[in-house]
Each structure stands twice: as structure tokens, then as C-alpha cells.
Amino acid sequence: MSDGAEICTPEEVLEFWFTELSYDHWFTPSAELDRQCAQRFQASHLALSRKLDDSWRQTPGNWLAAVLLFDQLPRNMYRGSPLVYATDCLALREAKLAVGASADIAVPAEWRPFFYMPFEHSENLTDQTMSVKLFTALGDPGYLDYAIRHREVIERFGRFPHRNAILGRISTPAEEDYLAQPGAGF
């Protein structure tokens, strides 16, 4: 990188996500965790979003680290900004390639949901259907419930209404009604 920042390794991403953090960290917003993610991974995220080195696809674990770097870490690093979704397409591309190569089956079962979340985060119904299929096969009722609820929102609106404000999109009256309900959005 031209600014001299060092790019992290896939092992550093996996160690951070699966050893230093836990389920509660993954799904509970925290300003401290957001700051830590940005400090440790933002330079790598930006550099690798321009060009992902093939070493990130050499093993199933490495591939998962790339998916995490493009899908999960931005949700912490850029919370409250449209940048949260900027590399979703890259995460989905890597997840599709990895699942197509059965890399998801080669990692521990508790890691697999992170290969599948880019499908769940997509605003494309075909991807949402694949998400439900993958989470069904995983067999975890909690993850499957979220996958089904995400797909239902895309079936209904064709997009996630809770993203509208941050992305500068105009909500339809039906989306406004949905967003006014308790528990709407994700």
C-alpha cells in the first residue's frame, strides 16, 4: 500500500473474529468494538477491496477471512455510514465462489454462518433463497429464522427498507409503515 500501512493476514482476521470475539460481540453493537475493528482492519479492508490477493483463497479458512473482511467487519468499522454496504458485493462474490468450491463445509460448523451471511445481506431474491437453503442445511434454528425473515423483507419490498435513510433512498409509504413497527429492520 502506498501509505505504508501493513495488510493483515487471513489468520489475524480469523483469530480476532473467532478467538478474541464471541457470539455476543458479533451481534451486539459496541462503539469500542467498532473502534477496534477500524483500527486493526480498516487499512486492510480498503487495500484488499481494490485487489484481493489469491492467497486469501488458498484455504477455506483464508477464504472465510476474506468474506469476514468484506461483510462483517465493515458493519462495525463503518456503522452509521453508507460504507457499511460498500463491499457487500465483494463479500457475496467470495461467498459464492467459496460455497461453490465447498469451502464452507471444510471449516468448523460454528464458522459456516459467516460464509452464508453475504447471501442474507443481499437485496436480491435469488441470493435470499440461497441463504435460506444454506441456513436450512446448517440446521441452526436461530440463524435460519433470521434468514427467513430477511428473505420475507426482500420478497415484500425488493430491498431492505432499514437501509433507505443511510443510503439516501426514498421510502415508500408501505416501507414507512413497516419501519414504524417494533422490531422492523435488522
Side-chain angles (χ1 to χ4, degrees):
M1 267 171 43
S2 60
D3 64 5
E6 199 172 307
I7 295 176
C8 68
T9 65
E11 294 79 15
E12 288 172 308
V13 173
L14 295 173
E15 170 76 16
F16 175 72
W17 199 255
F18 294 113
T19 302
E20 294 180 40
L21 302 183
S22 67
Y23 184 93
D24 289 336
H25 294 109
W26 300 333
F27 301 112
T28 305
S30 158
E32 173 55 29
L33 178 58
D34 293 352
R35 184 197 60 72
Q36 190 177 14
C37 289
Q39 181 180 13
R40 291 174 68 173
F41 299 106
Q42 189 171 38
S44 297
H45 173 261
L46 292 173
L48 293 169
S49 69
R50 291 182 195 103
K51 178 163 179 29
L52 185 66
D53 184 283
D54 285 339
S55 67
W56 289 77
R57 297 183 188 109
Q58 285 182 339
T59 69
N62 286 16
W63 224 332
L64 181 56
V67 172
L68 289 166
L69 193 64
F70 292 145
D71 184 66
Q72 292 298 307
L73 289 167
R75 283 165 165 73
N76 292 97
M77 295 186 295
Y78 305 117
R79 190 179 309 278
S81 161
L83 293 174
V84 164
Y85 311 113
T87 54
D88 278 6
C89 60
L90 300 177
L92 182 60
R93 178 193 68 200
E94 295 306 319
K96 285 180 176 181
L97 291 169
V99 168
S102 299
D104 57 318
I105 303 303
V107 299
E110 60 271 14
W111 293 14
R112 288 182 197 152
F114 294 100
F115 269 129
Y116 306 156
M117 284 184 196
F119 295 91
E120 184 178 278
H121 292 152
S122 173
E123 290 186 316
N124 177 289
L125 187 56
T126 300
D127 296 333
Q128 288 294 323
T129 299
M130 177 59 96
S131 168
V132 171
K133 178 182 175 184
L134 292 166
F135 281 114
T136 297
L138 183 67
D140 182 298
Y143 283 120
L144 178 58
D145 176 61
Y146 270 94
I148 290 168
R149 291 193 294 141
H150 278 75
R151 184 182 64 193
E152 288 171 349
V153 171
I154 296 301
E155 286 174 333
R156 184 172 171 193
F157 300 109
R159 62 187 185 174
F160 292 118
H162 66 277
R163 294 183 183 178
N164 290 350
I166 199 168
L167 293 176
R169 302 188 303 206
I170 305 296
S171 292
T172 67
E175 289 173 333
E176 289 174 0
D177 289 345
Y178 164 75
L179 291 170
Q181 297 178 28
F186 300 99

